[in-house]
Amino acid sequence: LSVTEAEPDEDFISQVKDNIDEDAGIFCVNIRLTEVFEGNEERIESIDEPLEIRIELTEELKAPADSKKARDYSLISVYDGKTVVSEANYSNGYLTFKTDKFSVYAIAYIDLDYGDVNGDDKVNAKDVLAIRKSLVGSDAGTYYNAAGDVNADGKVNAKDVLKIRKYIVDKTSETLGQA
């Protein structure tokens, strides 16, 4: 498995931009899986079961440690003419995701206010509801939104809900984005 910086064509970039916020940044990588048999290297484009991949991010792509913002990441691929946006989890300088396809991907990232889970530029009960729904829904245990990790423990859970609720009641009692 190799991951290298990629320079995709304009069609790829256009399709990616159609699926992200206009304020998002983009960095493209080529993820290649190869098999070597009797000295011959063959590129594998897809496999039957998803493989978990962990990429170390460059300094400029890492979430700023001293920022008042949360950096949220998505992984976008265009495969057989279809655009796929996948969840990617960030922790300690690494981006982790699952895929069964190996080609060019765009790492899209956007900085959000801690607590503003739904992206409406406010921290309110709607954000608490968004987290609570995800914790009991079909995605329970897999949900991660960097803006919702208000206690900076790398997870979005009931502790974050409680901290946001305290913040809503008294904005001076809680600092979002810190333990």
Side-chain angles (χ1 to χ4, degrees):
L1 180 74
S2 67
V3 180
T4 57
E5 186 173 350
E7 294 185 26
D9 60 36
E10 289 299 316
D11 285 343
F12 179 88
I13 295 295
S14 177
Q15 285 180 281
V16 167
K17 287 184 175 182
D18 286 345
N19 287 278
I20 61 173
D21 188 282
E22 64 185 36
D23 295 330
I26 301 170
F27 183 80
C28 295
V29 294
N30 187 5
I31 300 174
R32 289 182 62 136
L33 184 64
T34 54
E35 180 178 49
V36 179
F37 183 71
E38 295 181 358
N40 296 318
E41 188 175 294
E42 184 176 326
R43 185 174 181 175
I44 299 170
E45 293 186 17
S46 66
I47 56 177
D48 294 333
E49 296 292 323
L51 180 68
E52 184 170 278
I53 297 176
R54 187 172 180 231
I55 300 173
E56 184 174 11
L57 297 181
T58 61
E59 286 304 315
E60 58 270 9
L61 289 177
K62 290 179 183 177
D66 60 349
S67 176
K68 300 284 186 212
K69 301 266 187 181
R71 181 161 285 177
D72 200 34
Y73 297 89
S74 295
L75 204 67
I76 303 164
S77 63
V78 179
Y79 199 80
D80 287 337
K82 297 177 186 167
T83 305
V84 178
V85 179
S86 305
E87 182 178 309
N89 292 317
Y90 174 81
S91 180
N92 299 320
Y94 290 87
L95 201 61
T96 306
F97 58 94
K98 290 183 179 183
T99 187
D100 59 353
K101 310 266 188 288
F102 303 94
S103 63
V104 175
Y105 284 80
I107 299 171
Y109 56 94
I110 188 164
D111 293 336
L112 305 168
D113 291 326
Y114 278 106
D116 183 18
V117 176
N118 65 359
D120 66 357
D121 294 326
K122 301 174 199 158
V123 178
N124 56 31
K126 291 179 183 178
D127 300 299
V128 171
L129 183 60
I131 294 173
R132 289 180 67 193
K133 279 185 177 179
S134 70
L135 294 176
V136 297
S138 61
D139 293 337
T142 63
Y143 176 79
Y144 184 80
N145 177 318
D149 184 17
V150 297
N151 66 354
D153 67 354
K155 300 175 272 203
V156 178
N157 55 31
K159 292 177 184 177
D160 298 296
V161 170
L162 182 58
K163 191 163 184 166
I164 292 173
R165 289 176 71 183
K166 286 180 180 178
Y167 177 82
I168 292 168
V169 172
D170 181 9
K171 291 182 180 11
T172 61
S173 71
E174 293 293 326
T175 302
L176 302 181
Q178 297 178 4

